[in-house]
Amino acid sequence: MPVNSICFINSSRSWGGGEKWHYDHALFLAEKGYAVHVVTNVRSTLYKKLKEHAGIQLFPIKINNFSFINPLRGVQLIRILKKINPQTVIINLPADLKLMATSSWFLQINHIIYRRGSAIAVKNSALNRYIFRNIVTHIIVNSLATKQTLLQNNKNLIAEKKIKLLYNGIDLKSYPKQASETKQKTSAELIIGHLGRFSREKNQQFLIDVALELKQTQVPFHFILGGEGPDLERIKTLVEESQLTKYFTFPGFIKDTHQFMKSIDLFVLPSLWEGFGYVTIEAMAHEKPVIAFNITSNREIIENKVTGFLTEENDSHTFAEKIQYFYEHRDKVSEMGVKGRLRVARYFNSQDRFTEFETFIKNL
């Protein structure tokens, strides 16, 4: 079989779940002998990380939500794709997809795949209907929740047979087992961790309400909220105004997530929606129980009362009760943590997911 030519298009400057997925899968295909090309922003984290790998060709481009009406940007993408001549293009962002749609008239690409990673409803606009019915050949979704929201406003937006569910995965070999290799903590204080971009949908403000609930109990606790984003300073101000400064630490962007996970007892995810929470399975791989809302993809990842707890959305009282449960039953921290890692091994192991992805690509 001749070497396949694959092009990933991801113009995001920031680093998130979608960028990690494109990075991991680009490296996987390159190692398997595919000709891999990545079109991305020269200032993006994805560009900087992939630049270290000689086997991948990078093509810088700037794309925004209105680039599809900019003829110069369309010509730039056409020139790049003509040079690459890929059999398959995998697109990450709605803006990238729109630009690809305007450029597709001039190209003869066999497979145009949109990888959808956000559990947000797609607008039933004339442009979207045209793109999904006439340009996109397949869609990869990272959870059933993402698939449901994709078709939420129009169940006929795209044929269901063209939608492929591929869960995200992680390499468990990079995550040492915690229970058997680390000493039992002697501190009575319960360390509660969270990692994520500080933005409205990540809902870190909710954890202030949880802290106020916990403050009324006898539970000694401390939140470590890692990450950056537009909402960070607002959250810090709210913590100070609520007189909770001593209960919160904001270490900023976390480079070493392994060390972060080792330092906490349990992980919390107050997000209002998640296409697929990479950080959730990372916490579970580190044998940390997770508390999150019973919404979107959380219920596909977390097994309630087995690997953690799922609560009603924005119910700070119940959320605090679950944290208190772990304080009063410290053995459950380890027990649920171990079961969480087993769940990751069964459903979210990267090698299995990579194989599933390659099989999908080969059978297009």
Side-chain angles (χ1 to χ4, degrees):
M1 183 183 73
V3 174
N4 289 309
S5 180
I6 308 286
C7 177
F8 292 86
I9 301 179
N10 185 330
S11 64
S12 175
R13 286 186 60 179
S14 61
W15 180 262
E19 290 66 51
K20 177 174 170 54
W21 188 92
H22 277 238
Y23 175 80
D24 289 342
H25 287 73
L27 291 184
F28 167 74
L29 291 182
E31 291 173 358
K32 296 285 287 186
Y34 290 77
V36 178
H37 319 271
V38 179
V39 177
T40 186
N41 193 306
V42 71
R43 296 184 178 180
S44 70
T45 303
L46 180 62
Y47 183 91
K48 294 173 183 176
K49 289 173 74 72
L50 286 174
K51 196 175 181 180
E52 301 173 2
H53 300 276
I56 296 176
Q57 278 194 297
L58 295 175
F59 297 86
I61 191 172
K62 291 182 180 180
I63 300 175
N64 60 43
N65 207 36
F66 299 100
S67 291
F68 74 101
I69 59 175
N70 182 342
L72 295 178
R73 199 62 75 210
V75 169
Q76 182 185 11
L77 181 59
I78 289 170
R79 286 175 177 171
I80 290 173
L81 292 173
K82 278 188 173 181
K83 182 177 180 180
I84 297 171
N85 191 27
Q87 295 178 341
T88 303
V89 171
I90 303 176
I91 303 164
N92 183 58
L93 299 175
D96 302 339
L97 182 60
K98 289 178 183 177
L99 183 60
M100 185 66 203
T102 59
S103 305
S104 64
W105 290 100
F106 303 91
L107 305 166
Q108 293 183 332
I109 298 173
N110 294 337
H111 311 294
I112 299 177
I113 302 170
Y114 176 39
R115 194 261 175 183
R116 180 79 177 176
S118 179
I120 305 174
V122 174
K123 291 181 180 179
N124 186 28
S125 65
L127 178 59
N128 280 339
R129 289 196 298 272
Y130 179 81
I131 290 174
F132 285 101
R133 292 172 184 173
N134 299 282
I135 305 299
V136 174
T137 60
H138 297 84
I139 295 178
I140 293 174
V141 294
N142 59 355
S143 67
L144 290 173
T146 299
K147 179 180 178 180
Q148 290 165 359
T149 54
L150 174 70
L151 303 175
Q152 180 176 314
N153 291 330
N154 185 345
K155 65 180 182 179
N156 298 315
L157 185 66
I158 189 169
E160 192 166 345
K161 65 181 180 181
K162 295 183 177 181
I163 303 174
K164 175 64 176 180
L165 170 64
L166 290 175
Y167 283 123
N168 295 346
I170 58 175
D171 183 6
L172 270 180
K173 294 191 296 293
S174 301
Y175 295 78
K177 292 184 178 181
Q178 301 299 305
S180 60
E181 297 183 11
T182 59
K183 295 180 180 180
Q184 187 71 28
K185 291 186 178 181
T186 57
S187 172
E189 188 175 51
L190 198 63
I191 307 300
I192 308 158
H194 168 79
L195 284 178
R197 175 178 167 80
F198 279 80
S199 54
R200 296 284 179 173
E201 74 275 8
K202 296 300 182 182
N203 197 31
Q204 287 92 349
Q205 182 175 336
F206 169 77
L207 297 178
I208 297 174
D209 296 331
V210 174
L212 290 172
E213 292 275 355
L214 288 172
K215 195 177 176 182
Q216 304 304 313
T217 70
Q218 300 300 313
V219 177
F221 68 94
H222 193 85
F223 283 95
I224 304 178
L225 310 187
E228 298 175 336
D231 239 18
L232 177 56
E233 294 307 316
R234 186 180 72 86
I235 298 299
K236 286 183 177 180
T237 299
L238 289 173
V239 166
E240 186 175 350
E241 291 175 350
S242 301
Q243 299 182 351
L244 293 169
T245 304
K246 71 176 184 178
Y247 296 102
F248 283 85
T249 297
F250 297 90
F253 179 75
I254 302 296
K255 292 183 179 180
D256 188 347
T257 57
H258 295 296
Q259 191 58 45
F260 176 87
M261 292 297 180
K262 287 180 181 179
S263 71
I264 66 175
D265 294 304
L266 59 123
F267 188 83
V268 293
L269 189 77
S271 301
L272 297 174
W273 66 81
E274 287 284 348
F276 184 97
Y278 256 121
V279 70
T280 306
I281 59 172
E282 286 180 334
M284 291 165 63
H286 277 286
E287 301 184 9
K288 306 300 177 182
V290 181
I291 306 175
F293 298 152
N294 188 23
I295 56 175
T296 62
S297 65
N298 290 344
R299 57 175 69 101
E300 297 175 56
I301 301 173
I302 303 160
E303 188 174 359
N304 190 35
K305 300 179 183 179
V306 177
T307 68
F309 291 109
L310 295 171
T311 74
E312 292 302 310
E313 184 177 334
N314 284 328
D315 182 351
S316 59
H317 180 72
T318 302
F319 209 93
E321 281 187 338
K322 300 308 181 187
I323 293 174
Q324 184 173 0
Y325 173 86
F326 283 120
Y327 174 71
E328 295 173 349
H329 304 83
R330 295 299 285 254
D331 59 313
K332 291 296 182 180
V333 174
S334 175
E335 179 184 319
M336 288 191 178
V338 170
K339 290 179 179 178
R341 184 180 173 93
L342 291 173
R343 185 169 175 82
V344 172
R346 182 175 182 181
Y347 297 106
F348 312 117
N349 189 321
S350 61
Q351 291 307 310
D352 294 338
R353 303 288 71 77
F354 285 150
T355 300
E356 187 179 10
F357 168 70
E358 186 183 16
T359 300
F360 167 70
I361 293 295
K362 284 181 175 180
N363 292 333
L364 289 175

